[in-house]
Amino acid sequence: MGTKMGFMVDSNRCIGCHSCSMACKNYNQLNPDIVWRTVYDIKEDAYGQPTRITMSLACNHCEEPACKEACPTNAYEKRADGIVIHHEERCIGCEMCVYACPYNVPQFDKEKKKVGKCHLCYERLDEGLSPACVSSCPTQAIYQIDVSTIGDGFENSLPGFPDPKITKPSVRFIKPSIVKKL
Amino acid sequence: MNVKRRTFLKGAAVTGALIGLGSTQTEFPFQGLMKAQGSGESKKAVFQNACPRNCYDTCSMLTTVEDGVIQFVEGNPQNTYTNGTVCVKGNVYPRTVYSPDRIKYPMRQKGRGTGNWERISWDEAYTEIAENILKIKKEYGSTLPICLNKYSGNFEIMHYGIEGTMSSLGYTSRATGTPCWPAGIDAQTFDFGTIVNSDPEQMAKSKYIILWGVNPAWTGVHSMNFIEQAKANGAKVVVIDPILTNTAGKAHEFIQIKSSTDGALALGMAKYILDNELYDGQWLANNSIGYKEFFGYVKNNITLEWAAEKTGVRVEVIETLAREYATTKPANIWIGYGMQRHTNGGQNVRAIDALAAITGNVGLEGGGANYAQLDSWGFNYHAMVHPAPEGSEGEADRAVNMNNFAADVLAAQDPPIKMLWIAGRNPVQQDPETTLIKKAFREMDFVVTVDLYMNKTVELSDIVLPATTPFETPGVNVSYWHYWMTLNERAIKPLHETKSDVEIAMGLSAKMNELESGSCTYPTSGDLEEWVGKEFNDTILEQFGLEKWEDLKNGPAKMKNKEVAWKDGDFRTPSKKYELYSEEAEKFGHHPLPVYVEEMKSTEEFPYRCITPHWKLSIHSQFQDLDWMEAISDKPFVEMHPDLAKRNNINEGDLVKVYNEIGYVTVQAKLTKTVQVEEVVMYETWYKNLNYNVNYTVKAIPADMGKKATGMPGIAFHDNFVNIEKV
Ligand code: SF4
Ligand code: SF4
Ligand code: SF4
């Protein structure tokens, strides 16, 4: 089985601090309203006891990327290592991918009139560094993984995450433990 | 899961690196990856910086600069507390620096509040300011009509240069006190003699952690790591808070307490500990005074039923909590600043401190009642200390209560206050009683504000001077929570025409002396980096294990022997013991014992308590207004329980008016069962283009304590009662 790079999202450690989203903007110097990684509140009673829990999501570098499928100009490429990249100079800004992606990942940049999205900081991986979001997470709640070797024992989804059957996202989750309210 | 976390992480990183190598990733230029173009010989350098904000974490940062432009700001792993990461605010710094909204040059407003600004030169600005100062001096015979209001916008040490500016002009009026944490400071000062907390990294060694009214998931993210480590080592984590916060979401157990009744819970616990003889009599006998009196008070006045009734926490829960806390060693309590923003906040902190004392957790590794510390702040304050010019009228500065600023400024007589100098503060946004604050500003003859952005305070000023960011001016930083010291290097040239407080002081001094020789003692020149060196003395170098201050260029240093607060029982109280009975407290008008003082209650007209805690994307009025932050969250909301919403016919997303006798805020409803039915929550922050300010409803009610250590009581921000209605 080939390499499938993606993310582990450990919602048991995630504290919902948004460092990861902002680190992505910081490193990639994204235009002001563009966010490639988003920290979502998980529905507060998803596990019974109302609580505040979060999950941090970026592009899932899907096995069957709907973005790529939808793009009329072949702006998307699925690399051998599984990373899905968007080639900006081929993008005509038609936003087909924006509608196609079930995870709201590709972002239309009004200024550039083009789309952009998380590229798993592959150039940092090449240097032996973690992605900017990963290395900026104060609690090590996200990290890059190869889902082909990660093994079982992880969740394929968390409450609120769209059905993984659609695009086979390369993301695995660790469930949050739920505080006991006394 | 059977993969060990550490190896797993390492494995993941290695996999990543290997995969990357063989690929053809450079084939296309990508969005966001295009670096500064053209030169082909770009110069890249990494600088040390420190985040100077009013925050627990005071991050050590590394700033990558290419061709004079900041590319990336990240954490410096040499600081083992901040551990190589910065929070969301630290990550937004490139935008703080390069935001188009920065104030770029000195400006003069024609008509305060008109928005009719014109660009002026620094020389014009200095001249106008100096002339106003000299005019005041002439008219009133002193500089007391000039009032400085400076506080927590930037805690870097050289920023005390602004106090120095004032001193070097003569005796002036000074906003005195601190709004947010003084009740707790006084409480700990009565108990321990001052505030000292154990190195927070030691929390990892705790077996039982109570996070009492503190939300580090939003306000001190790096501490969450040590809490996680403690959990991994088998510790139990309990959060006590009126709100089920994101921190509570990470705990084992959560106790939702009625606001401002924390002292009742602590005393209920003390009662159980006493009745079941779970206290550490030996420790008390050796290290404390007044424990017999305290036990007498608890025995005769406290019942668990009373505590349960007060706090809304069931008797069994109080019992279990007390038993577990008293019998699991070491047990750590982290006392937050939110829980002391009440009219009984100081007393409540004293009651919690008492728990740590009676169970022998004070001075214990991994234990303690941890609030804050100022031990690592022993600088020379060279930028600050300057004498008044010879022949200055008066003897001393005049204190104006920072926490009742508007009223005090308006009431000042002989001489009245006529000029304000605002630095590192945004009182028009952040102070209670906004209407009164605006009135005070309008009554002034002259208002100068030094800031980075056009905020609500700048809008009511005559002159605004553009300030530098931490990346543009050198300095040195320490924290009030951890024990690291970080050098702040000048990473880039100051943008536009911005200047630091010390440079402004020098420039103004030159102009003052030009117009009237001898009218200002501040030096008129000096090398800023050399000035950083002048902040150091032998003691502080020794404390941080430094031979010379320049050693900090190799990385942050940590103060020695701060692992365990009070481990030698070296209390700084008058008796040199832990004082459960404090005569000092009595002198300041409090009961000498940590007795319960009734909390403020709602009224028929304003039946709901409105808590206004810190917001995750800002520190007071800093950060949330940046467009990068607004990309994450651009709308304020009021959190309320669905039952309360139903009672008022409010649905999710409805616009709600939150009001009381002094003002109102109109804001969207967010329904959540993580808050209590009788309390609503709005976060204190501001958005650039919205008229949202929680302080429209907040009165300047003093907290019970603060006078001893900070000169003025704090503000009971969370004793704010409101009503709500659907708009
Ligand atoms: S930085 Fe880490 S802890 Fe913070 S929101 Fe992102 S994933 Fe969660
Ligand atoms: S998450 Fe969306 S953008 Fe990313 S690969 Fe999958 S479909 Fe494409
Ligand atoms: S991997 Fe890189 S591009 Fe993707 S979300 Fe993280 S920081 Fe952004």
Side-chain angles (χ1 to χ4, degrees), chain A residues 11 14 18 26 29 44 52 79 81 87-90 116 122 126 138 140 143 150 180-182, chain B residues 5 8 12 19-20 25 28 30-31 71 73 91 225 244 250 252 254 256 616 639 672-674:
Chain A
S11 276
C14 178
H18 298 268
N26 171 3
Q29 304 280 311
E44 69 177 31
R52 299 197 190 200
R79 303 199 328 175
D81 59 10
H87 296 294
E88 189 185 291
E89 76 300 339
R90 293 185 195 163
Y122 69 83
D126 291 348
Q140 303 111 45
Y143 28 99
I150 192 74
K180 189 167 152 204
K181 189 177 164 200
L182 298 181
Chain B
R5 207 191 134 65
F8 174 57
I19 290 156
Q25 69 287 348
F28 301 99
F30 299 115
Q31 170 168 8
Q71 300 294 335
V73 175
N91 273 301
N225 247 326
L244 198 163
K250 299 285 110 183
H252 295 105
F254 170 61
Q256 194 154 37
K616 59 183 168 181
E639 292 177 344
T672 170
K673 290 185 188 134
T674 57

Side-chain angles (χ1 to χ4, degrees), chain B residues 350-426:
Chain B
R350 286 204 70 200
I352 296 170
D353 286 348
L355 286 177
I358 63 173
T359 55
N361 270 301
V362 172
L364 204 63
E365 181 175 72
N370 296 295
Y371 183 70
Q373 67 90 13
L374 290 171
D375 275 12
S376 64
W377 292 68
F379 296 97
N380 289 340
Y381 299 93
H382 164 264
M384 173 168 95
V385 185
H386 294 279
E390 218 154 298
S392 290
E393 266 315 301
E395 277 163 13
D397 294 330
R398 167 170 63 182
V400 167
N401 187 351
M402 180 182 281
N403 299 334
N404 198 22
F405 185 67
D408 264 30
V409 162
L410 289 167
Q413 289 300 329
D414 300 323
I417 290 173
K418 288 289 161 195
M419 168 178 166
L420 297 180
W421 184 297
I422 316 283
R425 278 215 93 201
N426 184 1

Side-chain angles (χ1 to χ4, degrees), chain A residues 7 20 23-24 28 36-37 58 117-121 131-134:
Chain A
F7 289 107
C20 49
C24 176
N28 290 303
W36 284 354
R37 174 172 282 285
K117 71 160 194 78
C118 158
H119 54 280
L120 226 159
C121 287
C133 54
V134 169

Side-chain angles (χ1 to χ4, degrees), chain A residues 58-62 65-68 76 84 101-103 105-106 117 167:
Chain A
C59 175
N60 301 304
H61 301 280
C62 306
C67 52
K68 181 170 186 289
Y76 284 89
V84 174
C101 169
Y103 312 97
V105 165
K117 71 160 194 78
T167 61

Side-chain angles (χ1 to χ4, degrees), chain B residues 154-410:
Chain B
N154 191 319
F155 274 147
E156 183 279 313
I157 303 304
M158 297 266 277
H159 281 72
Y160 290 93
I162 181 58
E163 282 90 340
T165 316
M166 292 296 125
S167 301
S168 62
L169 292 169
Y171 301 106
T172 55
S173 301
R174 303 286 182 90
T176 304
T178 104
C180 351
W181 61 332
I185 297 182
D186 265 18
Q188 291 221 318
T189 303
F190 297 136
D191 294 336
F192 299 92
T194 190
I195 43 169
V196 183
N197 61 268
S198 299
D199 179 349
E201 297 172 45
Q202 298 292 316
M203 255 190 301
K205 294 186 181 152
S206 279
K207 286 290 170 226
Y208 198 86
I209 297 179
I210 300 182
L211 301 172
W212 205 317
V214 65
N215 184 14
W218 283 11
T219 61
V221 294
H222 299 92
S223 278
M224 292 304 284
N225 247 326
F226 304 102
I227 294 164
E228 283 300 326
Q229 279 175 35
K231 270 162 80 178
N233 295 334
K236 184 168 191 178
V237 178
V238 182
V239 169
I240 301 171
D241 205 294
I243 306 168
L244 198 163
T245 59
N246 282 68
T247 301
K250 299 285 110 183
H252 295 105
E253 291 173 354
F254 170 61
I255 295 172
Q256 194 154 37
I257 186 168
K258 285 187 201 155
S259 287
S260 196
T261 67
D262 307 84
L265 179 58
L267 291 167
M269 289 167 71
K271 167 77 169 159
Y272 181 89
I273 289 166
L274 177 64
D275 287 351
N276 293 279
E277 294 181 25
L278 299 175
Y279 54 89
D280 186 339
Q282 186 81 42
W283 190 90
L284 287 169
N286 293 341
N287 296 286
S288 75
I289 60 165
Y291 68 95
K292 289 192 183 125
E293 290 88 337
F294 176 63
F295 282 159
Y297 165 75
V298 169
K299 195 159 177 258
N300 296 326
N301 296 279
I302 305 296
T303 65
L304 271 82
E305 292 66 32
W306 168 83
E309 162 79 37
K310 269 275 158 219
T311 58
V313 181
R314 284 177 296 122
V315 168
E316 311 81 76
V317 173
I318 302 176
E319 286 174 344
T320 313
L321 178 68
R323 191 176 55 248
E324 289 183 355
Y325 172 70
T327 57
T328 319
K329 291 262 161 60
N332 170 93
I333 303 179
W334 180 355
I335 301 169
Y337 306 139
M339 61 139 293
Q340 50 88 59
R341 290 178 192 143
H342 293 289
T343 51
N344 61 354
Q347 283 294 339
N348 289 344
V349 171
R350 286 204 70 200
I352 296 170
D353 286 348
L355 286 177
I358 63 173
T359 55
N361 270 301
V362 172
L364 204 63
E365 181 175 72
N370 296 295
Y371 183 70
Q373 67 90 13
L374 290 171
D375 275 12
S376 64
W377 292 68
F379 296 97
N380 289 340
Y381 299 93
H382 164 264
M384 173 168 95
V385 185
H386 294 279
E390 218 154 298
S392 290
E393 266 315 301
E395 277 163 13
D397 294 330
R398 167 170 63 182
V400 167
N401 187 351
M402 180 182 281
N403 299 334
N404 198 22
F405 185 67
D408 264 30
V409 162
L410 289 167

